[in-house]
Amino acid sequence: MYMTIGWLVALIVFIIIEFVTMGLTTIWFAGGALVASVAAAFQAPIWLQVTLFLVVSLLLLFFTRPIARKHFNLERAKTNIDGLIGRQAVVKVRIDNLRSTGEVTVGGMDWSARAVSDDSVFEESEIVVIKAIKGVKLIVERGTGGGD
């Protein structure tokens, strides 16, 4: 009886933490606590309760978290540096990895830039697409159309 109450208290605590943080962090453990409380109500040994808690929590975490994050974070927009990936930029200073030169303008700001491939060279005024960010340098490849 005490274990059932203990698991239900844990369930409530996990739900409260999830409600306060809204970070999809503890809801998975609430599911594990629920299953463990049912096992405790049926007088399952403590080792089985703990095992069920861990297994169910981990299964929920690994299999449902990616789906939940995809559907529950729809309004979350990329900000700051993440928002640059995929955008177009205009080459301001010739990009040549072998000579360690390159600068682009994107969103009215100038950034150091390097090409995805060492054998790619981009001339001034060319349009490039930002593929990645390494440190403070944008990694770019050939783009099409107008700049940002």
Side-chain angles (χ1 to χ4, degrees), residues 86-89 91 122 125-131 140-147:
R87 290 183 63 184
Q88 292 182 335
V91 177
F122 302 107
S125 299
E126 274 192 71
I127 304 299
V128 293
V129 176
I130 302 164
K131 300 308 280 182
V140 300
E141 70 180 11
R142 194 160 316 280
T144 58

Short mmCIF file of all heavy atoms in Angstrom, two decimals, residues 86-89 91 122 125-131 140-147:
data_model
loop_
_atom_site.label_atom_id
_atom_site.label_comp_id
_atom_site.label_asym_id
_atom_site.label_seq_id
_atom_site.Cartn_x
_atom_site.Cartn_y
_atom_site.Cartn_z
N GLY A 86 20.10 27.87 -44.26
CA GLY A 86 19.13 27.81 -45.34
C GLY A 86 18.86 29.15 -46.00
O GLY A 86 18.25 29.20 -47.07
N ARG A 87 19.30 30.23 -45.38
CA ARG A 87 19.09 31.55 -45.97
C ARG A 87 20.11 31.85 -47.05
O ARG A 87 21.19 31.28 -47.09
CB ARG A 87 19.16 32.63 -44.90
CG ARG A 87 17.95 32.58 -43.96
CD ARG A 87 17.97 33.66 -42.95
NE ARG A 87 17.89 34.99 -43.54
CZ ARG A 87 17.96 36.10 -42.84
NH1 ARG A 87 18.13 36.05 -41.52
NH2 ARG A 87 17.89 37.27 -43.43
N GLN A 88 19.78 32.78 -47.91
CA GLN A 88 20.70 33.22 -48.95
C GLN A 88 21.53 34.38 -48.43
O GLN A 88 21.08 35.15 -47.58
CB GLN A 88 19.95 33.65 -50.19
CG GLN A 88 19.25 32.51 -50.89
CD GLN A 88 18.55 32.97 -52.15
OE1 GLN A 88 18.17 34.13 -52.29
NE2 GLN A 88 18.38 32.05 -53.09
N ALA A 89 22.73 34.48 -48.95
CA ALA A 89 23.63 35.57 -48.59
C ALA A 89 24.33 36.05 -49.86
O ALA A 89 24.43 35.32 -50.84
CB ALA A 89 24.66 35.10 -47.56
N VAL A 91 27.89 37.41 -51.45
CA VAL A 91 29.33 37.42 -51.19
C VAL A 91 29.83 38.86 -51.23
O VAL A 91 29.61 39.58 -52.20
CB VAL A 91 30.09 36.55 -52.22
CG1 VAL A 91 31.60 36.63 -51.99
CG2 VAL A 91 29.61 35.11 -52.15
N PHE A 122 33.89 31.50 -54.62
CA PHE A 122 32.76 32.36 -54.92
C PHE A 122 33.24 33.79 -55.03
O PHE A 122 33.95 34.29 -54.16
CB PHE A 122 31.68 32.24 -53.84
CG PHE A 122 31.18 30.83 -53.66
CD1 PHE A 122 31.54 30.11 -52.54
CD2 PHE A 122 30.38 30.24 -54.62
CE1 PHE A 122 31.10 28.81 -52.37
CE2 PHE A 122 29.94 28.93 -54.45
CZ PHE A 122 30.29 28.22 -53.33
N SER A 125 29.55 39.48 -55.04
CA SER A 125 28.18 39.66 -55.53
C SER A 125 27.46 38.36 -55.88
O SER A 125 26.29 38.39 -56.25
CB SER A 125 28.12 40.61 -56.73
OG SER A 125 28.61 41.87 -56.34
N GLU A 126 28.15 37.22 -55.79
CA GLU A 126 27.46 35.95 -56.03
C GLU A 126 26.50 35.67 -54.89
O GLU A 126 26.71 36.10 -53.76
CB GLU A 126 28.47 34.79 -56.12
CG GLU A 126 29.05 34.58 -57.49
CD GLU A 126 29.80 33.25 -57.59
OE1 GLU A 126 29.13 32.20 -57.58
OE2 GLU A 126 31.04 33.28 -57.65
N ILE A 127 25.46 34.90 -55.21
CA ILE A 127 24.48 34.48 -54.21
C ILE A 127 24.88 33.09 -53.72
O ILE A 127 25.15 32.19 -54.52
CB ILE A 127 23.06 34.42 -54.81
CG1 ILE A 127 22.67 35.76 -55.42
CG2 ILE A 127 22.06 33.96 -53.75
CD1 ILE A 127 22.64 36.91 -54.44
N VAL A 128 24.93 32.93 -52.41
CA VAL A 128 25.25 31.64 -51.81
C VAL A 128 24.17 31.29 -50.79
O VAL A 128 23.40 32.14 -50.36
CB VAL A 128 26.64 31.66 -51.12
CG1 VAL A 128 27.76 31.81 -52.14
CG2 VAL A 128 26.72 32.75 -50.07
N VAL A 129 24.11 30.01 -50.42
CA VAL A 129 23.16 29.53 -49.43
C VAL A 129 23.94 29.04 -48.22
O VAL A 129 24.92 28.30 -48.36
CB VAL A 129 22.29 28.38 -50.00
CG1 VAL A 129 21.37 27.81 -48.92
CG2 VAL A 129 21.47 28.87 -51.18
N ILE A 130 23.50 29.43 -47.05
CA ILE A 130 24.17 29.03 -45.81
C ILE A 130 23.76 27.61 -45.46
O ILE A 130 22.58 27.31 -45.30
CB ILE A 130 23.79 30.00 -44.66
CG1 ILE A 130 24.20 31.42 -45.06
CG2 ILE A 130 24.44 29.56 -43.36
CD1 ILE A 130 23.57 32.50 -44.21
N LYS A 131 24.73 26.72 -45.37
CA LYS A 131 24.47 25.31 -45.10
C LYS A 131 24.77 24.92 -43.65
O LYS A 131 24.18 23.98 -43.13
CB LYS A 131 25.31 24.42 -46.03
CG LYS A 131 25.03 24.63 -47.50
CD LYS A 131 23.56 24.54 -47.85
CE LYS A 131 23.08 23.13 -47.97
NZ LYS A 131 21.67 23.02 -48.35
N VAL A 140 29.03 27.94 -46.69
CA VAL A 140 28.09 28.22 -47.77
C VAL A 140 28.36 27.37 -49.00
O VAL A 140 29.44 26.80 -49.17
CB VAL A 140 28.14 29.72 -48.16
CG1 VAL A 140 27.79 30.59 -46.97
CG2 VAL A 140 29.50 30.10 -48.72
N GLU A 141 27.33 27.32 -49.86
CA GLU A 141 27.47 26.69 -51.18
C GLU A 141 26.72 27.54 -52.19
O GLU A 141 25.98 28.45 -51.80
CB GLU A 141 26.98 25.25 -51.17
CG GLU A 141 25.50 25.08 -51.02
CD GLU A 141 25.07 23.61 -51.02
OE1 GLU A 141 25.92 22.73 -50.92
OE2 GLU A 141 23.85 23.39 -51.09
N ARG A 142 26.90 27.23 -53.45
CA ARG A 142 26.29 28.03 -54.51
C ARG A 142 24.79 28.11 -54.35
O ARG A 142 24.13 27.13 -54.05
CB ARG A 142 26.65 27.43 -55.87
CG ARG A 142 26.35 28.36 -57.01
CD ARG A 142 27.10 28.03 -58.30
NE ARG A 142 28.52 27.70 -58.14
CZ ARG A 142 29.51 28.59 -58.00
NH1 ARG A 142 29.23 29.86 -57.95
NH2 ARG A 142 30.76 28.18 -57.90
N GLY A 143 24.24 29.30 -54.55
CA GLY A 143 22.80 29.51 -54.43
C GLY A 143 22.25 30.06 -55.72
O GLY A 143 22.96 30.27 -56.69
N THR A 144 20.94 30.31 -55.72
CA THR A 144 20.30 30.87 -56.92
C THR A 144 19.37 31.99 -56.49
O THR A 144 18.96 32.09 -55.34
CB THR A 144 19.45 29.80 -57.65
OG1 THR A 144 18.47 29.32 -56.74
CG2 THR A 144 20.32 28.68 -58.15
N GLY A 145 19.00 32.81 -57.42
CA GLY A 145 18.02 33.85 -57.16
C GLY A 145 18.62 35.05 -56.47
O GLY A 145 19.81 35.23 -56.38
N GLY A 146 17.72 35.88 -55.91
CA GLY A 146 18.13 37.13 -55.26
C GLY A 146 18.64 36.91 -53.86
O GLY A 146 18.35 35.91 -53.22
N GLY A 147 19.37 37.87 -53.34
CA GLY A 147 19.94 37.79 -52.00
C GLY A 147 18.95 38.22 -50.94
O GLY A 147 17.84 38.61 -51.22
#
